[in-house]
Amino acid sequence: MAEATKRYAIVTGANKGVGFGVVKQLASKGVMTVLTARDEKRGLEAVEKLKECGLSDLVVFHQLDVTNPASIASLADFVKTQFGKLDILVNNAAVIGSILNPEAFRAVPSKKLEEVDWNEVSTPNYELSEECLKTNYYGTKRVTQALLPLLELSDSPRLVIVSSSIVKLLYFPDGWPKEVLSDAESLTEERIEILAKKYPSFCINCVCPGYVKTDINCNSGILTIEEGAESVVRLGLLPNGSPTGQFFIRKELTPF
């Protein structure tokens, strides 16, 4: 069962990139953190890297495929059995909904995410767009629903959803059906505002960590993993009474 003063966190999609950075920073601050990944081998390798940093007592791995209800249920059972509660949930697992052209991406002169012409650096793919919705929206929704009862047992529950300031353009370039574009544009706002109103004792926020150098943008970003993770961890560790139901770009509060 949970110790009275111990805090427990889960980070989805955390074997690399911003998710990995978030796990490292949370553990470094004394938070017992569950690093999750769809691929067990990659997840365990990520945990080994953190052990080399002296964080072996504060990081544990659990396999999680956010598109698989059985996998989600297994994670919830693990946390309930091992910790008895959950204090911080960081929904970071995501995939991109188009085929990227690495050379075109790296040739973009602008280093501002919102100024990238995604139709020049990516090719629409319907199968990938379906996977994107299944992972980024429905997967996030199911993971959150499964873990809400454990978050309710916390004295300071925190839910952080990692998103993008250009979710529509990043995942669904021009040419997709209007209903798909509409869904992509509204998902972040819908899930944050509804949850924040339903759970007023929680601190629930969405954050774009910025143009971070990761695989999802062919490593063309300008921020380091550590810099991107810092914005996410800040929201996970906000004190009680902090803003909820908001969208941040890094540390800046931004309208949806």
Side-chain angles (χ1 to χ4, degrees):
M1 292 297 291
E3 299 174 20
T5 58
K6 191 77 173 180
R7 302 196 73 191
Y8 301 91
I10 291 176
V11 183
T12 69
N15 62 287
K16 63 179 180 178
V18 172
F20 180 82
V22 170
V23 171
K24 184 177 181 180
Q25 290 185 24
L26 284 174
S28 296
K29 294 179 183 295
V31 179
M32 184 68 196
T33 307
V34 183
L35 182 156
T36 74
R38 181 169 50 183
D39 186 289
E40 182 173 357
K41 181 176 181 292
R42 293 177 180 175
L44 290 172
E45 289 174 347
V47 170
E48 285 301 315
K49 291 179 182 178
L50 293 172
K51 287 182 178 180
E52 296 172 2
C53 300
L55 300 173
S56 57
D57 293 336
L58 288 163
V59 179
V60 62
F61 170 73
H62 197 284
Q63 191 275 341
L64 174 65
D65 180 349
V66 301
T67 68
N68 186 327
S71 179
I72 296 171
S74 175
L75 174 64
D77 288 342
F78 171 80
V79 174
K80 182 178 181 180
T81 301
Q82 296 295 316
F83 310 136
K85 68 165 185 172
L86 181 64
D87 299 289
I88 303 166
L89 171 58
V90 177
N91 279 311
N92 174 73
V95 297
I96 200 161
S98 58
I99 300 172
L100 297 181
N101 182 328
E103 292 185 5
F105 221 131
R106 298 188 186 103
V108 174
S110 173
K111 289 301 179 181
K112 293 184 178 180
L113 192 60
E114 64 272 16
E115 294 180 4
V116 175
D117 186 342
W118 295 91
N119 294 297
E120 291 186 359
V121 300
S122 63
T123 302
N125 181 283
Y126 195 82
E127 287 72 24
L128 289 179
S129 74
E130 287 188 316
E131 182 185 0
C132 179
L133 278 175
K134 187 184 298 183
T135 302
N136 300 13
Y137 176 58
Y138 292 107
T140 295
K141 183 176 181 179
R142 291 191 183 106
V143 169
T144 301
Q145 289 174 334
L147 295 171
L148 279 172
L150 290 168
L151 283 166
E152 289 184 286
L153 298 175
S154 171
D155 293 330
S156 55
R158 301 287 177 265
L159 172 58
V160 184
I161 297 177
V162 181
S163 187
S164 169
S165 61
I166 53 159
V167 61
K168 173 179 171 181
L169 293 179
L170 178 59
Y171 297 130
F172 301 99
D174 292 344
W176 292 119
K178 290 183 179 180
E179 61 270 19
V180 175
L181 290 173
S182 176
D183 283 347
E185 197 170 36
S186 65
L187 296 184
T188 297
E189 180 176 1
E190 173 192 335
R191 62 192 179 203
I192 289 294
E193 290 191 343
I194 290 177
L195 282 174
K197 290 177 181 177
K198 188 173 181 179
Y199 297 92
S201 65
F202 284 39
C203 191
I204 303 173
N205 291 294
C206 183
V207 60
C208 170
Y211 201 4
V212 183
K213 187 176 182 179
T214 65
D215 291 348
I216 207 166
N217 57 35
C218 304
N219 294 301
S220 64
I222 58 173
L223 299 175
T224 65
I225 295 296
E226 291 73 20
E227 290 172 323
E230 182 182 3
S231 302
V232 181
V233 172
R234 184 185 73 88
L235 295 179
L237 298 177
L238 285 176
N240 289 335
S242 296
T244 185
Q246 304 298 321
F247 180 76
F248 292 84
I249 296 181
R250 301 195 71 190
K251 297 181 180 179
E252 183 179 349
L253 182 61
T254 306
F256 279 104

